[in-house]
Amino acid sequence: VRIAAIGDLHYTKESHGFASRVMQGVNENADVLLLAGDLTNMGRVEEVEVMIQDLQYIRVPILAVVGNHDHQSDQVEMLISMMRQGGICVLDCSSCEVGGVGFVGTKGFCGGFGRAQVAVFGEQALKSFVQESIMEAMRLEKTLQGLKTSQKVAVMHYSPIRETLVGETPDLFPFLGTSRLAEVLDRHGVNLVFHAHAHHGSPQGWTKGGIPVHNVARFVQMAHRERAYVIEEIPSG
Ligand SMILES: [Fe+2]
Ligand SMILES: [Fe+2]
């Protein structure tokens, strides 16, 4: 199964035609397209409308997760239902099978990495922040528990590892992802991971358990590779 993956489209209402420019060749090169969040710039209905219209030419299944920008206008539920109506499978701690490969997806959240992870301690605001990160990891875990395919691919917006953030200022790392997600991915033997969000990060890294992780933020891919999206192949289940 050939997987095309891209994130951080940041659609505005002026973006008509953008998808076909950055995703040239997806129909020919891939069997499935993953969108790793920040699909819209401000989380507005008119932005997602343009994106859905632009994606009509894609003939392979499209699986997507939302990003923080898609939350900006507090209407993410509306955006998700519009995408679903438009034929996009939005993964919200849910899974989907294509060609015998299981795909799980979620937005993920912040929280930091390894020993520098922010702890659940002190003010209620800080506890809620970390709690959100723990909840996302738990929901991802539950989704993976339900997945019966031998090949598993995970897509998220925030990063599960530190390595693919290198290039961003380290001060920002705790806000770009959390290793709580990587612990879950390693425990469940996921084969391949895609994330976005870190526009100035690095294209590839690995979890402690050796799972390849691709930062498919289109800015990163355009800076390091010949095209805005990544193509990876995985054996059918
Ligand atoms: Fe972004
Ligand atoms: Fe983002």
Side-chain angles (χ1 to χ4, degrees):
V1 176
R2 299 165 304 162
I3 303 161
I6 185 169
D8 297 290
L9 298 176
H10 288 268
Y11 253 82
T12 70
K13 61 183 182 6
E14 275 85 44
S15 299
H16 293 276
F18 180 70
S20 54
R21 286 202 301 277
V22 292
M23 291 184 225
Q24 224 169 35
V26 163
N27 284 328
E28 296 74 29
N29 297 327
D31 303 303
V32 57
L33 170 64
L34 306 183
L35 302 177
D38 282 359
L39 310 175
T40 63
N41 199 39
M42 297 299 283
R44 293 189 181 126
V45 164
E46 54 271 31
E47 296 174 335
V48 86
E49 269 169 0
V50 178
M51 184 195 74
I52 293 167
Q53 214 174 50
D54 267 13
L55 291 174
Q56 290 307 310
Y57 85 99
I58 299 283
R59 294 189 301 271
V60 298
I62 305 174
L63 317 185
V65 297
V66 296
N68 54 318
H69 277 249
D70 304 311
H71 276 260
Q72 173 58 16
S73 299
D74 287 326
Q75 36 189 5
V76 73
E77 291 306 325
M78 166 78 94
L79 263 53
I80 290 174
S81 95
M82 288 170 70
M83 284 192 267
R84 285 182 174 148
Q85 273 170 29
I88 298 168
C89 173
V90 182
L91 298 172
D92 180 16
C93 272
S94 48
S95 66
C96 172
E97 232 182 279
V98 179
V101 175
F103 292 84
V104 295
T106 185
K107 175 178 64 64
F109 197 59
C110 329
F113 301 88
R115 286 189 303 161
Q117 260 181 102
V118 186
V120 192
F121 186 87
E123 296 91 330
Q124 198 50 55
L126 194 76
K127 284 177 185 156
S128 315
F129 171 80
V130 183
Q131 204 56 48
E132 180 70 21
S133 163
I134 295 170
M135 284 299 292
E136 271 289 277
M138 281 171 61
R139 292 170 69 222
L140 177 66
E141 177 124 53
K142 213 174 152 199
T143 314
L144 278 163
Q145 276 163 357
L147 196 64
K148 301 295 175 227
T149 55
S150 59
Q151 300 290 334
K152 301 177 179 78
V153 175
V155 55
M156 51 201 61
H157 184 61
Y158 286 88
S159 179
I161 62 167
R162 199 180 177 282
E163 228 175 318
T164 46
L165 304 180
V166 172
E168 298 277 359
T169 166
D171 295 344
L172 275 178
F173 285 7
F175 301 99
L176 299 176
T178 175
S179 49
R180 286 189 179 93
L181 296 164
E183 288 162 21
V184 172
L185 300 166
D186 276 340
R187 248 196 315 275
H188 288 273
V190 169
N191 303 89
L192 191 55
V193 182
F194 299 96
H195 77 84
H197 189 50
H199 294 194
H200 307 287
S202 302
Q204 200 184 1
W206 287 265
T207 64
K208 279 204 175 97
I211 308 168
V213 177
H214 295 271
N215 176 359
V216 296
R218 66 178 167 92
F219 308 100
V220 170
Q221 292 300 322
M222 286 194 302
H224 291 87
R225 307 263 159 88
E226 72 280 10
R227 58 183 165 208
Y229 62 93
V230 165
I231 294 275
E232 282 292 312
E233 200 164 346
I234 188 163
S236 301

